[in-house]
Amino acid sequence: EASRLEVYPNPANQWVAIDWLGAGEMTSLKVYNSLGVIVHQHETFDNAKNLRIDVSTWSKGMYYIEIHSTDDDRMRKPLIIQ
C-alpha cells in the first residue's frame, strides 16, 4: 500500500490537520516557508498518525509540509495560509 499524506483544510487560516496514511510511523514533520526556512517542526509522535497545528499567527502565503517516516518514506505537500 502506498503511503499518503493528507493536509486539510487547505487553504487554511486557523489550524491545519495532518494525517499520515503510511505503513511506517512518522519520525519528523517540518514546515517550510516559501524561502525554504523551517517555521515549524515536530519530532515526538507517540505512534500518532495525525496532528493538528495552530497556524493562526502564520503569515499568509505558501508553505510546504514535509514528513519522514520509519520506513524511509519522505513526502512533501503544499499548504496555503490565507
Side-chain angles (χ1 to χ4, degrees), residues 2-5 8 11 14-15 19-20 23 27 29 31 34 36 40 43 50 54-55 65 67-68 70 72 77:
S3 297
R4 216 167 69 231
L5 177 62
Y8 58 91
Q14 294 296 314
W15 57 270
D19 291 346
W20 171 246
T27 56
L29 176 145
V31 181
S34 59
H40 179 86
E43 294 186 1
N50 45 33
D54 179 0
V55 298
I65 296 171
I67 299 269
H68 289 258
T70 54
D72 290 330
K77 283 270 183 148

Side-chain angles (χ1 to χ4, degrees), residues 34-77:
S34 59
L35 301 175
V37 176
I38 296 171
V39 295
H40 179 86
Q41 69 182 21
H42 195 96
E43 294 186 1
T44 306
F45 297 96
D46 298 324
N47 299 322
K49 293 278 190 177
N50 45 33
L51 294 170
R52 187 170 160 140
I53 299 172
D54 179 0
V55 298
S56 61
T57 61
W58 294 15
S59 298
K60 293 179 180 181
M62 177 71 81
Y63 294 81
Y64 295 91
I65 296 171
E66 186 175 272
I67 299 269
H68 289 258
S69 73
T70 54
D71 58 356
D72 290 330
D73 261 347
R74 186 186 116 194
M75 294 206 132
R76 198 169 200 189
K77 283 270 183 148

